[in-house]
Amino acid sequence: MKSNNSFSQRIIAVISFIGTKIRKLFSWYKDLWVKFTHNKYDEFVYKRGITMAASTLAVMVIVPVFICLILQTTYYWTTYKKETIYLSQSEEIYPDDNIWGVRGCYTRHCDSDSSIYFRIKPSLFHHLWNLGHNGNVFLPDVIGSSVPTGLTQCEVISYGIRMRMTMLFNVYPNILKVTCAGVEPN
């Protein structure tokens, strides 16, 4: 019987391709390091070395934060909703990260087809959004605690994908603002 190694060969090819790109990136950085940190006599200058190390660290921190901010802003603009939903319960599900979960329904009488589950969590985008709309930073505790425990009709500003399958991957719609009218009798 003949064995097929095409899958393992593809994996090796992909790893080799990625390794080549990483090697080129490190080679480029090494050349930049030498060019910036050495003077015209090819002597290492400590002040330039410290500046280069600090700049590298800043880029390694700032670039991912900026990329996440751009992606989250795009996600917001493509999935933004302002709607009236019946909310029934909020609870702090991850206290260390200050993440809240809020349950609700599209209709007054919940069933499995009309239920929805939201998250309230801090992020740079949420802070910037709240500064622009309300003039203060985003506090998940304030929003989470403003949802009454009983069935309540609330106006919700949220964004995110609302497919049940995404809950398997811990992807929920995010709430940015809640305004509740009051507790309604069952």
Side-chain angles (χ1 to χ4, degrees):
M1 198 168 193
K2 202 176 194 183
S3 66
N4 188 356
N5 291 331
S6 65
F7 180 74
S8 61
Q9 289 173 347
R10 289 180 186 164
I11 295 294
I12 291 170
V14 168
I15 291 171
S16 166
F17 176 77
I18 292 171
T20 303
K21 296 299 179 187
I22 290 173
R23 217 173 312 122
K24 285 182 181 179
L25 179 67
F26 280 117
S27 175
W28 170 81
Y29 182 76
K30 185 184 98 178
D31 293 341
L32 181 66
W33 176 270
V34 169
K35 183 178 178 181
F36 185 79
T37 60
H38 289 72
N39 62 15
K40 64 182 177 181
Y41 305 111
D42 203 27
E43 297 170 334
F44 183 76
V45 180
Y46 288 101
K47 288 182 183 178
R48 290 182 181 182
I50 291 170
T51 302
M52 185 69 172
S55 300
T56 301
L57 185 63
V59 166
M60 290 176 70
V61 170
I62 291 172
V63 168
V65 169
F66 187 70
I67 288 172
C68 287
L69 180 63
I70 289 172
L71 291 174
Q72 198 169 12
T73 304
T74 304
Y75 187 47
Y76 167 79
W77 285 111
T78 56
T79 60
Y80 166 82
K81 286 188 178 183
K82 182 176 183 179
E83 59 194 340
T84 302
I85 298 176
Y86 290 92
L87 298 179
S88 60
Q89 183 180 3
S90 68
E91 62 182 318
E92 193 168 21
I93 53 178
Y94 300 114
D96 293 339
D97 298 326
N98 202 11
I99 297 176
W100 287 66
V102 178
R103 296 181 183 120
C105 290
Y106 290 115
T107 60
R108 184 175 176 154
H109 300 286
C110 284
D111 60 7
S112 61
D113 294 329
S114 67
S115 64
I116 191 164
Y117 199 70
F118 292 99
R119 289 280 197 259
I120 304 170
K121 57 186 174 183
S123 73
L124 179 60
F125 172 75
H126 294 166
H127 291 304
L128 294 174
W129 185 90
N130 214 39
L131 280 170
H133 286 82
N134 301 325
N136 52 15
V137 296
F138 185 80
L139 299 172
D141 294 335
V142 172
I143 294 172
S145 63
S146 67
V147 177
T149 55
L151 186 66
T152 309
Q153 186 176 9
C154 300
E155 185 175 284
V156 176
I157 296 176
S158 65
Y159 70 97
I161 298 173
R162 299 191 183 186
M163 295 187 321
R164 298 215 184 273
M165 184 185 72
T166 60
M167 290 162 59
L168 293 172
F169 305 107
N170 203 20
V171 176
Y172 297 91
N174 295 296
I175 290 180
L176 294 172
K177 186 175 183 181
V178 173
T179 307
C180 294
V183 179
E184 294 185 9
N186 290 330

